């Protein structure tokens, strides 16, 4: 039966930020003018991993995948002429979440806003960073404490703010099954609430539970995904009631925002991605009982590079058409009492409960990080295997490949390219900022911050004091590194071969033959230079190379070109493979190739994979790169055969 009153639409957001704070501010104001109703800030990798724009690891990464925010001045520019008291802002920030929230509060104070009225979300979920996204800094235990610091501070001082956004989005991007996504996300939420419970008075605890929000992924199997969302609603209600004794149903509500799946967007026939994005949005909007609170959609060309403002506008219009032209928001839940939906929801809940029991038995999410990482790498290998074998159809990729060239791919290649001069300009502004601030006040504020962290106090008040006097992102993070140490997360790639070796007999024989010629096992080094933490591709290449019988070296994310070259020398690698998804491939590969030559390693072939436009691929080959792979090269066995050929002394002699 139709409702008399229409539901309010979800918050309409676009995940955005690039180049500089000023350029991003212009983009935000333009999107708000087009009808966007909330902001979703993308920060660049140096900001996410706690480095200033002039740090060695920041080279080539400044302003690429988001906006650089090095200090209060950048944050002030970012939100210039945007009244924060009236805005709902989501910040995708994790390891440096206490710091970026401190900067946001300091800017709101400057604007004259009532800080207690601020509304928005910091993602602040470190557990999924160890599992899939890689922007962590400190080890799990102190990271969990900082998440709790933010939650405790917000509860008292910024009560409408969501201090933590349990983020299962990246779990699905890393290959999670729906059951794994449900269980790993819920286990993360309970780990945080368990850490918070001793800090909050019992009568206030239910309200704190009510501020935990979620950020999920909706994939192309939209009926399953819609059922997953209904399962999330039921399981969270159950956990809040049974584990935490929350009696008020309002505080047990599963509140979530969504970005639909970017993993399934294809480089081939990219115009098809518009349909994929729309279908994925249905999963989180059709079901009233499990409808998203906020939706942000990727753009059709995200598999190719950075979307332009027009591309983002196209995705925003999709949301507006769904919300305002259709009658979707006029009806009660469309799926209540549907037997097919009910049975699928029950099956997903059962699978998730089994996985949750396993995690509980291991001591919870923090203790089970290595286990969860290995499970995700395994699930992703199975997912890719199904695509390679054609069991999972991807239109335009492994079926219906013939098609017309896309008229959308105009003169600019269909994407936006960040001007390389942006990095130096940002560094110049940063140096000027350091010159102009009160260095005595900065030294004192940093000492107070370090003291608070070392004493186990809540770091938020000291962080806000640092923000006000002009401390930089790198200086704030340096104190956390000094007190808690750095952490290297598990890679999920074990040295022993898996049982997924069907169809690899010929490749394994080739690896054996070439290894005999080389006089030892073919050594393949997989490296991730720069700050890009999206390691799924590198892991899958390493796993397949291992299963083909190669001796693999993969040390995980965030290495400098210098460290990778040193490893190539020490390991006597026969082939070096680099994975870079952040768009910083040219400066990083250039640096690495110069170092390879200087070390007398220019005979070692280097291959590179990533989101690399054709013009850039030609530049990489001119630098001496032997092969360049992009998402369209989805057949891993073809890449393996190339590695064997490159390592074979006979093929080298033939050249």
């Amino acid at each position: 039966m139709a409702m008399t009153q229409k539901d309010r639409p979800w918050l309409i957001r676009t995940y955005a930020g690039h180049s500089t704070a000023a350029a991003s501010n212009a983009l935000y104001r333009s999107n708000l003018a087009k009808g966007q109703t909330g902001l979703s800030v993308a920060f660049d990798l140096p900001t996410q991993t706690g480095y200033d724009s002039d740090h060695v690891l920041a080279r080539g990464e400044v302003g690429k995948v988001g906006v650089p925010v090095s200090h209060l001045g950048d944050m002030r520019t970012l939100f210039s002429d945007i009244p924060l008291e009236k805005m709902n802002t989501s910040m995708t920030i994790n390891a440096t979440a206490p710091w970026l929230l401190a900067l946001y509060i300091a800017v709101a104070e400057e604007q004259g806003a009532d800080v207690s009225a601020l509304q928005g979300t910091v993602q602040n979920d470190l557990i999924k960073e160890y599992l899939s996204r890689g922007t962590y800094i400190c080890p799990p235990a102190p990271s969990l404490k900082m998440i709790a610091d933010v939650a405790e501070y917000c509860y008292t001082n910024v009560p409408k703010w969501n201090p933590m956004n349990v983020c299962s989005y990246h779990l699905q991007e890393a290959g999670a099954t729906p059951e794994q996504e449900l269980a790993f996300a819920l286990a993360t939420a309970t780990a945080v609430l368990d850490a918070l419970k001793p800090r909050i008075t019992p009568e206030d605890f239910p309200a704190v539970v009510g501020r935990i929000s979620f950020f999920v992924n909706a994939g192309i199997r939209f009926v399953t995904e819609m059922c997953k969302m209904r399962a999330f609603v039921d399981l969270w209600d159950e956990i809040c009631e049974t584990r935490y004794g929350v009696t008020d149903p309002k505080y047990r509500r599963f509140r979530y925002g969504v970005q639909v799946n970017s993993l399934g967007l294809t480089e081939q026939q990219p115009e098809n991605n518009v349909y994929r994005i729309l279908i994925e949005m249905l999963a989180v909007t059709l079901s009233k009982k499990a409808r998203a609170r906020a939706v942000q959609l990727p753009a059709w060309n995200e598999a190719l590079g950075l979307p332009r403002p027009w591309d983002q506008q196209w995705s925003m219009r999709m949301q507006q058409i769904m919300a305002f032209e259709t009658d979707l928001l006029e009806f009660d839940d469309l799926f209540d009492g549907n037997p097919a939906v009910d049975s699928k929801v029950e099956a997903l809940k059962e699978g998730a409960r089994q996985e949750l029991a396993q995690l509980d038995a291991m001591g919870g999410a923090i203790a089970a990080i290595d286990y969860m990482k290995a499970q995700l790498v395994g699930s992703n290998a199975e997912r890719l295997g199904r695509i390679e074998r054609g069991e999972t159809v991807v239109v335009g990729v492994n079926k219906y490949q013939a098609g017309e060239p896309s008229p959308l791919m105009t003169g600019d290649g269909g994407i936006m390219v960040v001007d390389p001069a942006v990095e130096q300009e940002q560094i110049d502004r940063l140096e000027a900022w350091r010159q102009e601030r009160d260095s005595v006040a900065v030294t004192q504020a940093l000492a107070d911050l370090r003291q608070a962290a070392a004493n186990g106090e809540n770091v938020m008040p000291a962080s806000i004091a640092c923000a006000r006097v002009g401390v930089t992102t790198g200086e704030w993070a340096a104190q956390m590194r000094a007190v808690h140490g750095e952490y290297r997360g598990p890679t999920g790639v074990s040295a022993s071969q898996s049982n997924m070796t069907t169809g690899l007999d010929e490749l394994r024989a080739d690896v054996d033959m070439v290894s005999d010629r080389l006089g030892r096992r073919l050594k393949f080094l997989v490296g991730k230079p720069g700050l890009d933490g999206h390691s799924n591709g590198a892991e899958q290449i390493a796993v397949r190379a291992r299963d083909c019988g190669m001796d693999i070296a993969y040390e995980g994310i965030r290495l400098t070109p210098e460290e990778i070259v040193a490893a190539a020398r020490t390991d006597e690698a026969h082939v070096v493979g680099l994975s870079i998804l952040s768009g910083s491939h040219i400066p990083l590969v250039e640096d690495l190739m110069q170092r390879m030559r200087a070390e007398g390693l220019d005979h070692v072939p280097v291959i590179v994979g990533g989101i690399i436009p054709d013009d850039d691929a030609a530049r990489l080959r001119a630098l001496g790169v032997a092969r360049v792979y992009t998402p369209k090269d989805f057949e891993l066995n073809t890449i393996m055969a190339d590695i064997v050929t490159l390592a074979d002394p006979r093929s080298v002699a033939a050249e």
Side-chain angles (χ1 to χ4, degrees), residues 483-531:
V483 174
H484 303 303
E486 288 250 25
Y487 180 71
R488 291 213 57 81
T491 64
V493 179
S494 75
S496 49
Q497 290 187 352
S498 73
N499 53 10
M500 290 171 61
T501 50
T502 22
L504 297 184
D505 296 347
E506 204 172 308
L507 273 167
R508 295 176 82 167
D510 290 347
V511 170
D512 288 345
M513 188 166 63
V514 169
S515 297
D516 287 346
R517 279 184 211 140
L518 291 165
R520 61 190 169 92
R521 186 64 29 199
L522 194 169
K523 183 78 181 188
F524 178 46
L525 172 72
V526 180
K528 277 199 66 65
L531 295 177

Side-chain angles (χ1 to χ4, degrees), residues 261-274 276 299-304 394-398 631-632:
N261 194 310
S262 301
L263 177 71
L265 302 185
T266 64
E267 186 185 12
Q268 303 91 315
Q269 303 178 18
E271 60 283 354
N272 298 343
N273 293 330
V274 173
R276 293 186 176 106
W300 69 279
N301 53 353
E302 221 138 295
L304 308 172
V394 184
V395 172
V397 174
N398 61 5
K632 67 174 173 287

Side-chain angles (χ1 to χ4, degrees), residues 303-505:
L304 308 172
L306 195 63
R308 300 156 301 189
W310 181 85
D311 307 314
Q312 294 193 328
Q313 174 187 307
W314 201 15
S315 281
M316 181 159 51
R317 294 290 181 250
M318 203 184 294
Q319 295 206 48
Q320 290 165 330
I321 290 165
M322 180 69 81
F324 300 111
E325 289 192 22
T326 78
D327 58 355
L328 174 67
L329 297 176
E330 294 167 23
F331 289 87
D332 280 326
D333 197 282
L334 305 178
F335 301 101
D336 275 359
N338 178 311
V341 169
D342 288 348
S343 83
K344 182 64 181 172
V345 170
E346 285 311 312
L348 288 169
K349 278 156 58 175
E350 192 43 49
R353 284 192 196 104
Q354 285 174 11
E355 191 66 69
L356 277 165
Q358 166 90 6
L359 296 173
D360 263 342
M362 297 173 88
I366 292 278
I369 282 171
D370 288 34
Y371 161 79
M372 291 193 285
K373 179 69 182 175
Q375 294 297 105
L376 290 175
V377 171
S379 296
N380 209 13
E382 285 174 26
R383 181 188 72 81
L384 286 168
R386 287 193 296 274
I387 293 172
E388 281 185 279
R389 293 190 298 273
E391 291 165 21
T392 297
V393 171
V394 184
V395 172
V397 174
N398 61 5
K399 202 165 186 181
Y400 313 119
Q401 291 105 325
E404 301 297 323
S406 167
L408 294 173
M409 309 284 285
T410 48
D412 56 7
I415 55 168
M416 190 173 100
V417 178
V418 173
D419 182 348
V422 156
E423 185 159 323
Q424 192 53 52
E425 289 163 17
Q426 173 69 9
I427 290 170
D428 294 344
R429 277 193 300 275
L430 174 60
E431 283 171 357
W433 177 266
R434 290 194 190 116
Q435 296 302 318
E436 287 159 22
R437 63 191 185 171
D438 178 344
S439 59
V440 177
V442 167
T443 305
Q444 186 55 54
L446 286 169
D448 294 346
L449 173 67
R450 187 166 177 162
Q451 192 64 46
N455 293 348
E457 295 163 29
N458 191 315
V459 297
M460 279 306 296
S463 297
I464 294 169
C466 282
R468 290 182 188 132
V469 298
V471 163
T472 68
T473 298
E475 290 166 342
W476 180 88
Q479 305 310 310
M480 300 303 125
R481 288 182 163 96
V483 174
H484 303 303
E486 288 250 25
Y487 180 71
R488 291 213 57 81
T491 64
V493 179
S494 75
S496 49
Q497 290 187 352
S498 73
N499 53 10
M500 290 171 61
T501 50
T502 22
L504 297 184
D505 296 347

Side-chain angles (χ1 to χ4, degrees), residues 61-347:
E61 306 278 20
V62 176
K64 283 274 170 52
V65 301
V67 58
V69 176
S70 294
H71 47 70
L72 184 64
D74 286 340
M75 200 64 140
R76 194 184 285 144
T77 305
L78 187 63
F79 293 110
S80 174
D81 298 320
I82 298 174
L84 296 186
E85 201 171 338
K86 297 191 179 130
M87 193 43 57
N88 190 309
T89 306
S90 163
M91 295 195 275
T92 301
I93 197 74
N94 296 284
T96 51
W99 173 240
L100 271 298
L101 181 59
L103 289 172
Y104 189 85
I105 289 169
V107 168
E109 288 171 345
E110 287 185 348
Q111 288 188 357
D114 170 4
V115 170
S116 68
L118 295 178
Q119 291 190 61
T121 303
V122 270
Q123 197 162 90
N124 203 19
D125 171 1
L126 263 300
I127 292 176
K128 68 95 180 37
E129 295 300 323
Y130 303 126
L131 296 178
S132 56
R133 196 164 165 272
T135 70
Y136 54 79
I137 298 173
C138 297
S143 295
L144 188 64
K145 184 211 165 273
M146 280 190 267
I147 295 172
D149 283 356
V150 171
E152 184 184 30
Y153 183 84
C154 287
Y155 173 67
T156 314
N157 301 282
V158 201
K160 294 180 176 174
W161 195 269
N162 298 320
M164 195 227 177
N165 197 225
V166 180
C167 181
S168 71
Y169 174 84
H170 301 92
L171 302 179
Q172 188 177 127
E173 298 279 292
T177 63
E179 293 85 349
Q180 286 171 337
E181 192 182 334
L182 286 162
F184 295 2
L186 293 167
T188 298
T190 57
V192 171
L193 287 174
D194 291 352
L196 259 174
K197 204 171 180 190
R199 299 182 176 211
I200 310 284
T201 56
E203 59 273 21
D204 287 347
F205 191 65
V208 172
V209 173
R211 291 262 41 113
I212 297 287
S213 63
F214 290 76
F215 188 73
V216 304
N217 195 330
I220 195 71
R221 293 170 58 79
F222 83 101
V223 179
T224 300
E225 295 289 299
M226 188 271 298
C227 292
K228 178 189 80 184
M229 295 324 305
R230 292 172 79 89
F232 254 135
V233 168
D234 291 354
L235 289 166
W236 184 239
D237 186 74
E238 195 177 289
I239 286 168
C240 291
E241 191 170 15
T242 58
R243 189 176 181 121
Y244 299 114
V246 178
T247 52
D248 186 341
K250 181 179 77 182
Y251 293 137
R252 302 198 304 257
R253 205 178 290 149
F254 184 80
R255 298 157 55 250
Y256 77 98
V258 68
Q259 154 110 0
V260 308
N261 194 310
S262 301
L263 177 71
L265 302 185
T266 64
E267 186 185 12
Q268 303 91 315
Q269 303 178 18
E271 60 283 354
N272 298 343
N273 293 330
V274 173
Y275 301 138
R276 293 186 176 106
I277 294 163
L278 174 60
I279 289 164
E280 290 169 350
M281 184 170 83
L282 296 177
V284 293
T285 53
L286 282 182
S287 172
K288 178 176 168 145
K289 276 206 177 143
R291 185 171 291 146
R293 292 292 183 94
V295 176
Q296 56 192 44
L297 303 179
W300 69 279
N301 53 353
E302 221 138 295
L304 308 172
L306 195 63
R308 300 156 301 189
W310 181 85
D311 307 314
Q312 294 193 328
Q313 174 187 307
W314 201 15
S315 281
M316 181 159 51
R317 294 290 181 250
M318 203 184 294
Q319 295 206 48
Q320 290 165 330
I321 290 165
M322 180 69 81
F324 300 111
E325 289 192 22
T326 78
D327 58 355
L328 174 67
L329 297 176
E330 294 167 23
F331 289 87
D332 280 326
D333 197 282
L334 305 178
F335 301 101
D336 275 359
N338 178 311
V341 169
D342 288 348
S343 83
K344 182 64 181 172
V345 170
E346 285 311 312

Side-chain angles (χ1 to χ4, degrees), residues 130 134 136 373 487-493 525-535 538-539 542 553-560 563-564 577-579:
Y130 303 126
Y136 54 79
K373 179 69 182 175
Y487 180 71
R488 291 213 57 81
T491 64
V493 179
L525 172 72
V526 180
K528 277 199 66 65
L531 295 177
D532 165 38
H534 287 87
S535 54
E539 288 153 6
Y554 172 57
E555 289 308 314
I557 60 169
R558 241 188 285 169
L559 299 170
T560 61
E563 288 169 325
I564 292 170
L578 306 178
S579 165

